[in-house]
Structure formats: structure tokens, C-alpha cells
């Protein structure tokens, strides 16, 4: 049997890529003030900005789009969506929302508020923002094993169970609004969470009468790692593994823009009737009536079909192996990456690639500009541009690390696209020593990474 893992799909509809020259890209990135968020997407050759909402849909999903029943109440598309989510998650109450953060606003707005605390392996940005907006605190307690970026421990997405018990004792169980397990742990490097960790988390929550929520937008990818690396899961289907994890929890929030293989959508699903009722009231006020919420009938059809397709063995195998292919190949070239490679993205440590560039000249932003200039590749900085703050004297308080995320859209790029990205890293590495830093010339007080303007720094600034 041939060993090559191929894309397990054929291409029915294509979108041309405009092949810009390095000279053109030099101009485009300058016009975008060295911030790839400000580029026109038509000027990007390979877009690895996010894996969210960027999937290619299947012919069956497009067929569902045509079948969509757009009735205001009781649509057949709602029934198809409800049955699929109910069967997968086991949760009786399902609330459709326009994307993940709308589900977060509803649930965490309901559970949170002043004096409440949420505990998580790592809260995603929008999760944290929705919790903090309501006045509650969001505390990240990832496993200490995640701190070593080079070890080959397979479940660096785990929550730290000892700290979980400590934080519950410190704040009082009655003040913990929920424990949120993000699978896979996106902000923690796309690393998976083991079933054992989820089971022990569930035990602690049950003993303390605390709500246990899964942020499950990449749970199919997480299931791949459990079957591959955790004892006792050989021969189980990926869907069964996900179902086992759902059984441990009291509810879930899903951004369908990831593992449901659609361009827009999400949901909240719950076991408890009382919480569901309170959330349903908010759903009707802010999203829509119970049988569509934030979605059209056609969206619900596409999500239901995507949730079936994502657990396909050949699809998931191709998905994780192709992400790993990128990570392993650039690592072999000496590019410092978070290891092992996670499910949806490869994370490069730009501070190790550019040790001569101080944090206040943003090595991660430098790398995203280099990727664009040299290859037309768009990636995102996850470092001091995104998370840096200033002290009272105006000095930068840097982020914990200077990472760049190369997120792989699902079913969009082929192996030759990925080989091209790997080749671009050769040039980046060769030029690393002479690559100059950037300085910020314009920024906003919140979420500055989306709109900040940069200039090439003339000389090295004093490290902050
Ligand atoms: N939870 C996780 C773990 C996420 O990664 C995201 C989105 C959300 C919640 C919010 O969902 O975008 O549908 O409102 N992550 C995207 C990303 C934006 O690029 O990683 P949403």
C-alpha cells in the first residue's frame, strides 16, 4: 500500500491566486504600514492568518445551502442541525449563534459578573474579553509542562490540576462561575488536551459543584491526538472520542468556523434546563428566535453536514499530518517552532529567530512582514504587538513570548502550497541576521494589532 498521505478530496471549484512579485509586495506592505491586517487579501498568495471561517466547503455542504429552509420558526434545517449537535454532544439544549463569541457573550454574561472567577487551560482572547467585559476575572492555568517549547510531551494543552484545586480553594467554589477547557488550546499553541486531563477536571468540578464547559471548536482535531497518543483509545472512532469528552462536561461553546468546516456560525449547548432558559432569553433578545438564533437555515444545514465530515478518518489524518508536515520541515531547517506541532497551526518563536531584535522592535511583527515580502504569505503576530502593555513611564511591558502563528485553512491548500511556504523559510533564515526591527508609529489603546502602523527602525532601540 503506498504510504503517501494525499488530500482526500478532489477540487470542483477554484479561485485564482494573483502571483505578485517581490517588488510589488515591498510596495504593498509599505502601503499597509507593515501591518498584514491592512493588506488587501487579493495581494496575498498563501493566507495563513487564521483557520477560522476559511474552510473550503464540500459539495454536500453546498447542496445543504440550496436545501436550507428559511422559515422563521420550526424550520426543517433547524431540526437537522439540532439532531446533529444533540447526537454529537449529548446536550439537550442547543442555541444557534452567529459565531463563537456570541455564544460566549450569552453564557459568560449570564454566569459571570463582579466577584466571579473563570478558570481555564487558556482563555481565548474573545472568551477573556467577554468574561472581563461582564466584570468577572479570567485566570489561565495551563499545565507547567507547556512551558518547555521543545519537549515532546503530547498533551501540552492540559489544564494544571493542582493549580485548579488551589484556585478553587483560594476563591471559594461558590465564586467559580465555570471551568472552561479549550480543546485544542489555541492560545497555548494549538496543543491538545488529554481525555485523562478532561476526566480529572470533570471530577474536580463535580466534587465542588462547579460548571464544566468545553470550548470545543477544534474537538475533532483534539480527538485525533487522543487516539494517536493516549492509551485505551486505539481503534475508537474520532467521533466516539469527542462524544466521550462531551459526556464529561455540562455544556459547550462552539465556533463552527473551525471544525464544523463553515465560513460563519456557532452554537451553545447545555445540559441544565435552568441555565438554558436564561440563555435562551438572551438569545432571543440579541441573536434571534430559538430555532435559528444567529443563523439562516442554509447555515444550519452546512454546519450539520460539516460536523459529520470533520470526523472522517481520512480527512482528520490528512489535516493533522499536513499541519505537522509544515512544522517538522521548517524545524528541520533550524526555524524555532513550538513543539510538538499542534492541530491547526504552526507557531514560530521569532525572538529566537531574531535574537538581535529587541522586544520593543517586535521580532514577531518583523517575521510576519518578512513572510509577506519574500513569499506573499500572511501570518499573524502573537507577541508584544498583540499583548504588550505600557507601564506608567511609557516603557513596553512585553508579552510572555514573541510568536508567529501560521494557521492552516481546512481543505484549501495542497501540499505544493505548503512546500512553497517551507521554501520561503530558507530565504528568511539566510537573511535573519541582517533583518531590521520595526517601531510603532501609530496605535489605538485597545486591540492595537489590528490597526497599528509601523516603520522600519533605523537603529536598535534600547531593550525595554
Ligand atoms: N474559542 C476559540 C478557542 C477560538 O479559537 C475562537 C476564535 C473563538 C472561541 C471565537 O470564535 O471567532 O467564531 O467568534 N478563533 C479565531 C482564530 C478568531 O483566529 O483563532 P468566533
Amino acid at each position: 500500500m503506498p504510504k503517501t498521505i494525499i488530500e482526500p478530496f478532489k477540487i470542483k471549484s477554484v479561485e485564482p491566486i494573483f502571483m505578485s512579485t517581490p517588488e510589488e509586495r515591498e510596495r504593498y506592505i509599505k502601503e499597509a504600514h507593515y501591518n498584514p491586517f491592512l493588506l488587501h487579501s487579493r495581494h496575498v498568495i498563501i493566507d495563513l492568518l487564521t483557520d477560522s471561517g476559511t474552510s473550503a466547503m464540500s459539495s454536500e455542504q453546498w447542496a445543504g445551502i440550496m436545501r436550507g429552509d428559511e422559515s422563521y420558526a420550526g424550520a426543517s434545517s433547524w431540526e437537522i442541525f439540532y439532531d446533529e449537535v444533540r447526537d454529537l454532544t449529548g446536550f439537550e439544549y442547543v442555541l444557534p449563534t452567529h459565531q463563537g463569541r456570541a455564544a460566549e457573550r450569552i453564557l459568560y454574561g449570564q454566569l459571570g459578573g463582579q466577584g466571579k472567577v473563570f478558570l481555564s487551560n487558556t482563555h481565548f482572547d474573545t472568551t477573556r474579553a467577554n468574561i472581563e467585559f461582564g466584570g468577572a476575572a479570567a485566570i489561565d492555568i495551563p499545565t507547567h509542562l507547556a512551558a518547555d517549547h521543545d519537549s515532546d510531551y503530547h498533551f501540552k494543552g492540559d489544564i494544571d490540576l493542582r493549580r485548579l484545586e488551589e484556585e478553587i480553594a483560594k476563591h471559594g467554589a461558590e465564586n467559580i462561575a465555570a471551568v472552561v477547557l479549550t480543546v485544542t488550546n489555541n492560545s497555548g499553541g494549538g496543543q491538545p488536551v488529554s481525555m485523562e486531563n478532561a476526566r480529572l477536571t470533570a471530577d474536580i468540578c463535580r466534587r465542588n459543584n462547579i460548571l464544566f464547559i468545553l470550548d470545543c471548536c477544534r474537538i475533532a482535531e483534539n480527538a485525533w491526538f487522543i487516539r494517536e497518543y493516549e492509551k485505551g483509545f486505539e481503534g475508537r472512532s474520532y467521533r466516539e472520542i469527542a462524544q466521550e469528552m462531551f459526556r464529561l462536561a455540562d455544556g459547550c461553546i462552539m465556533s463552527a468556523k473551525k471544525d464544523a468546516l463553515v465560513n460563519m456560525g456557532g452554537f451553545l449547548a447545555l445540559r441544565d434546563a435552568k441555565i438554558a432558559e436564561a440563555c435562551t432569553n438572551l438569545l432571543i433578545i440579541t441573536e434571534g428566535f430559538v430555532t435559528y438564533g444567529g443563523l439562516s437555515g442554509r447555515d444550519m444545514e452546512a454546519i450539520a453536514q460539516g460536523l459529520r465530515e470533520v470526523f472522517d478518518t481520512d480527512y482528520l489524518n490528512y489535516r493533522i499530518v499536513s499541519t505537522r508536515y509544515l512544522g517538522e520541515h521548517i524545524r528541520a531547517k533550524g526555524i524555532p517552532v513550538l513543539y510538538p506541532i499542534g492541530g491547526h497551526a504552526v507557531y514560530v518563536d521569532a525572538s529566537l529567530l531574531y535574537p538581535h531584535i529587541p522586544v520593543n522592535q517586535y521580532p514577531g511583527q518583523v517575521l510576519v512582514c518578512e513572510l509577506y515580502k519574500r513569499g506573499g504569505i500572511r501570518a499573524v503576530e502573537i507577541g508584544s504587538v498583540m499583548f504588550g502593555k505600557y507601564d506608567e513611564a511609557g516603557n513596553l511591558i512585553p508579552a510572555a513570548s514573541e510568536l508567529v502563528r501560521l494557521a492552516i485553512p481546512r481543505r484549501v491548500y495542497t501540499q505544493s502550497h505548503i512546500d512553497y511556504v517551507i521554501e520561503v523559510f530558507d530565504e528568511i533564515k539566510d537573511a535573519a541576521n541582517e533583518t531590521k526591527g520595526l517601531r510603532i508609529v501609530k496605535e489605538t489603546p485597545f486591540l492595537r494589532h489590528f490597526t497599528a502602523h509601523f516603520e522600519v527602525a533605523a537603529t536598535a532601540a534600547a531593550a525595554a
Side-chain angles (χ1 to χ4, degrees), residues 68-84:
D69 174 0
E70 304 303 342
S71 305
Y72 192 94
S76 55
S77 300
W78 154 253
E79 286 161 15
I80 288 168
F81 170 82
Y82 176 82
D83 288 348
E84 186 57 39

Side-chain angles (χ1 to χ4, degrees), residues 203-222:
D203 288 347
I204 294 171
C205 287
R206 200 172 315 112
R207 254 191 287 120
N208 290 282
N209 202 20
I210 294 170
L211 203 70
F212 177 27
I213 301 295
L214 288 177
D215 180 340
C216 68
C217 62
R218 299 181 180 89
I219 196 165
E221 293 173 1
N222 199 85

Side-chain angles (χ1 to χ4, degrees), residues 389-412:
K389 297 200 167 98
Y390 293 110
D391 67 13
E392 278 165 17
N395 297 314
L396 178 73
I397 308 167
S401 43
E402 305 298 327
L403 302 178
V404 166
R405 182 182 79 170
L406 303 159
I408 321 285
R410 295 170 181 78
R411 304 191 294 208
V412 171

Side-chain angles (χ1 to χ4, degrees), residues 50-52 99-101 104 124 126-127 182 186 215 217-218 255 257-258 405:
T50 180
D51 65 318
S52 179
Q99 62 182 86
R101 68 198 70 182
E104 291 173 343
F124 181 66
T126 58
T127 317
T182 311
N186 183 12
D215 180 340
C217 62
R218 299 181 180 89
S255 166
K257 299 169 75 170
K258 285 80 171 176
R405 182 182 79 170

